[in-house]
């Protein structure tokens, strides 16, 4: 039984989940990340580093493609000067989003919402595509794993029965046999009646395959942030500088005691994942650009990419990300950048719904809080 557990966790770690919460492993070693009372506005410094966004004036002729909006592109200040991983002052974890630097992107169309179950189902029906989570791991991939542990599945958030120290994300994630886009929480779950919910349990390759079929592509990290900022400069969130303007949540995130069973109070109107477009859009007409589900971008992840490109001391035009991935906390896992946070982001642990901050994930890592949207 011990060996079986070991290999299930090995598969979980190596091929199904290197989720955003792995940040704390090396950057904040030995620190117990327990829940505490948090201020609404995190510590910020050097606000003057954010300069105004300069939008392009040219617009394409004709109507936007169905379900998409025009993002004008232009020059903007990219990154974050928020020093905390969460609003509880866990210092130093957002260093990969610094320094703030000037970037230019061309204009593009972007999906108004994250790709939905209905949209992804149309793709699968048209192509016969099989997602990574539906494919049984092979003995060649894991030669030392017991054969009975090589089963198709993916990572599912599993609340804990009691409050825990938030120093090991494996405590609330489980590799579940049969978890895939049709069964986000495992074989007993279903997306029936949830056609307008974001599709999840999607790896990077799954998202890229859908985008190609749809005549689109995944956004670069710079395109994603330009679009999320909605023409504004330096604001903490896609909707402004206040988490709850007039006392109302603007995104589907986690309220309550994370990661307890029944810990999410649903103060924002939803416990767990929400349908798309249930909150107000940002200034460009994009829904759920913060919260609900993480969104894949096309860029490989390195922790020092912003530092490297900012040294050129000039506006970086249409950056495509580094040529390869390196995460010092998990150097053996190639990762892509994820953006926007999810319904599991909380002020107790992960506030990556802050618009300038970055997520990361093994590109072969589907989970039930990861989706995507496309650009064209």
């Amino acid at each position: 039984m011990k060996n079986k557990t070991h290999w299930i966790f090995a598969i979980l770690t190596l091929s199904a989940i290197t989720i955003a919460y792995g940040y704390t492993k090396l950057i904040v070693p030995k620190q117990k990340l327990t829940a505490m009372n948090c201020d609404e506005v995190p510590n910020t410094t050097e606000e003057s580093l954010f300069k105004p966004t300069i939008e392009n004036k040219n617009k394409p002729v004709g109507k936007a493609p169905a379900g998409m909006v025009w993002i004008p592109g232009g020059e903007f200040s990219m990154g974050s000067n928020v020093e905390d991983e969460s609003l509880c002052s866990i210092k130093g974890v957002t260093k990969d989003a610094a320094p703030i630097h000037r970037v230019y992107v061309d204009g593009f169309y972007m999906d108004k919402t994250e790709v939905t179950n209905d949209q992804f189902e149309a793709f699968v029906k048209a192509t016969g595509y099989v997602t990574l989570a539906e494919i049984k791991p092979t003995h060649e991939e894991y030669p030392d794993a017991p054969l009975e542990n090589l089963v198709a599945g993916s990572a599912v958030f599993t609340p804990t029965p009691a409050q825990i120290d938030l120093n090991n994300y494996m405590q609330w994630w489980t590799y579940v046999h049969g978890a895939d886009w049709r069964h986000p929480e495992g074989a007993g779950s279903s997306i029936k009646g949830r056609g307008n919910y974001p599709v999840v349990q999607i790896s990077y390759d799954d998202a890229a395959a859908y985008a190609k079929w749809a005549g689109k592509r995944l956004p670069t990290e710079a395109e994603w942030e330009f679009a999320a900022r909605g023409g504004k400069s330096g604001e903490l969130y896609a909707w402004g500088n206040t988490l709850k303007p007039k006392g109302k949540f603007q995104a589907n995130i986690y309220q309550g005691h994370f990661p307890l069973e029944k810990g999410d109070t649903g103060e924002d109107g939803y416990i767990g994942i929400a349908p798309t477009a249930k909150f107000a859009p940002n200034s460009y007409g994009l829904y759920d650009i913060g919260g609900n589900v993480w969104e894949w971008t096309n860029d490989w992840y390195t922790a020092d990419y912003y530092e490297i490109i900012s040294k050129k001391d000039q506006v970086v035009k249409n950056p495509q990300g580094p040529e390869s991935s390196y995460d010092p906390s998990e150097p053996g896992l190639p990762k892509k950048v994820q953006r926007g946070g999810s319904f599991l982001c909380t002020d107790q642990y992960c506030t990556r719904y802050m618009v300038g901050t970055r997520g990361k994930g093994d590109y072969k890592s589907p989970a039930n809080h990861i989706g995507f949207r496309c650009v064209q």
Side-chain angles (χ1 to χ4, degrees):
M1 183 65 183
K2 184 177 180 180
N3 288 337
K4 182 175 182 179
T5 301
H6 170 80
W7 285 110
I8 287 292
F9 271 70
I11 293 171
L12 175 65
T13 302
L14 293 176
S15 69
I17 180 173
T18 312
I19 320 181
Y21 305 119
Y23 294 119
T24 56
K25 184 188 296 184
L26 291 185
I27 302 175
V28 195
K30 298 182 181 179
Q31 185 174 1
K32 292 185 178 181
L33 311 183
T34 54
M36 60 186 80
N37 293 325
C38 307
D39 296 326
E40 182 171 297
V41 180
N43 298 325
T44 57
T45 57
E46 301 176 340
E47 281 86 352
S48 61
L49 292 178
F50 285 103
K51 298 177 182 178
T53 294
I54 305 171
E55 296 177 333
N56 293 331
K57 301 302 181 183
N58 296 334
K59 286 187 176 182
V61 178
K63 293 183 179 180
M68 306 187 85
V69 292
W70 175 247
I71 309 298
E75 184 180 318
F76 74 113
S77 293
M78 183 174 179
S80 175
N81 58 0
V82 177
E83 297 178 347
D84 307 338
E85 155 68 0
S86 79
L87 304 189
C88 300
S89 300
I90 302 169
K91 298 292 185 182
V93 192
T94 57
K95 288 183 178 178
D96 64 353
I100 296 161
H101 54 291
R102 293 295 278 182
V103 172
Y104 170 87
V105 294
D106 292 326
F108 55 96
Y109 289 105
M110 192 173 207
D111 289 342
K112 293 180 182 179
T113 71
E114 293 140 344
V115 173
T116 65
N117 288 318
D118 277 349
Q119 291 171 317
F120 198 79
E121 184 175 33
F123 159 61
V124 171
K125 286 182 176 179
T127 63
Y129 185 84
V130 179
T131 63
L132 184 148
E134 298 171 277
I135 300 172
K136 177 182 176 180
T138 66
H139 181 64
E140 288 72 23
E141 291 175 291
Y142 302 99
D144 298 324
L147 294 179
E148 66 268 21
N149 291 351
L150 298 177
V151 296
S154 191
V156 175
F157 173 67
T158 308
T160 60
Q163 189 64 51
I164 58 173
D165 291 336
L166 305 181
N167 57 357
N168 179 7
Y169 64 85
M170 298 295 287
Q171 297 174 99
W172 56 87
W173 287 98
T174 305
Y175 186 83
V176 176
H177 177 35
D180 55 45
W181 72 273
R182 291 186 180 90
H183 312 95
E185 285 80 44
S189 63
S190 171
I191 59 171
K192 185 177 181 179
R194 293 193 165 198
N196 63 336
Y197 280 63
V199 65
V200 293
Q201 295 293 9
I202 298 298
S203 72
Y204 168 82
D205 287 343
D206 299 334
Y210 172 93
K212 183 178 181 180
W213 170 79
K216 304 177 183 180
R217 60 180 174 84
L218 296 179
T220 66
E221 185 180 11
E223 288 173 333
W224 192 99
E225 185 169 326
F226 184 95
R229 289 194 176 278
K232 301 175 182 178
S233 179
E235 295 191 342
L236 286 175
Y237 311 107
W239 54 87
N241 281 318
T242 303
L243 180 61
K244 296 189 295 179
K246 298 182 180 179
K248 186 176 180 180
F249 280 100
Q250 302 300 302
N252 179 27
I253 56 179
Y254 192 106
Q255 302 90 44
H257 296 289
F258 181 87
L260 280 175
E261 292 177 0
K262 300 181 180 179
D264 187 353
T265 62
E267 187 181 342
D268 57 23
Y270 297 93
I271 295 174
I273 194 170
T276 60
K278 293 301 181 182
F279 296 86
N282 78 348
S283 299
Y284 288 154
L286 300 170
Y287 293 90
D288 303 310
I289 201 72
N292 216 18
V293 299
W294 284 101
E295 299 179 15
W296 289 109
T297 74
N298 195 55
D299 293 24
W300 289 111
Y301 173 85
T302 60
D304 60 353
Y305 181 63
Y306 287 12
E307 183 179 355
I308 291 171
I309 63 174
S310 68
K311 288 181 179 178
K312 298 178 181 180
D313 196 27
Q314 61 188 21
V315 177
V316 184
K317 293 189 175 182
N318 295 311
Q320 303 295 305
E323 293 183 0
S324 60
S325 170
Y326 180 76
D327 180 3
S329 67
E330 291 178 303
L333 288 175
K335 297 181 181 180
K336 291 283 187 175
V337 175
Q338 299 166 340
R339 283 302 200 105
S342 79
F343 62 89
L344 294 176
C345 281
T346 164
D347 63 5
Q348 297 169 16
Y349 189 48
C350 167
T351 52
R352 300 282 169 153
Y353 44 78
M354 293 189 295
V355 70
T357 58
R358 309 173 75 199
K360 57 183 177 179
D362 174 11
Y363 77 107
K364 292 185 177 181
S365 292
N368 70 317
H369 68 337
I370 299 175
F372 68 105
R373 76 177 77 209
C374 303
V375 299
Q376 185 176 302

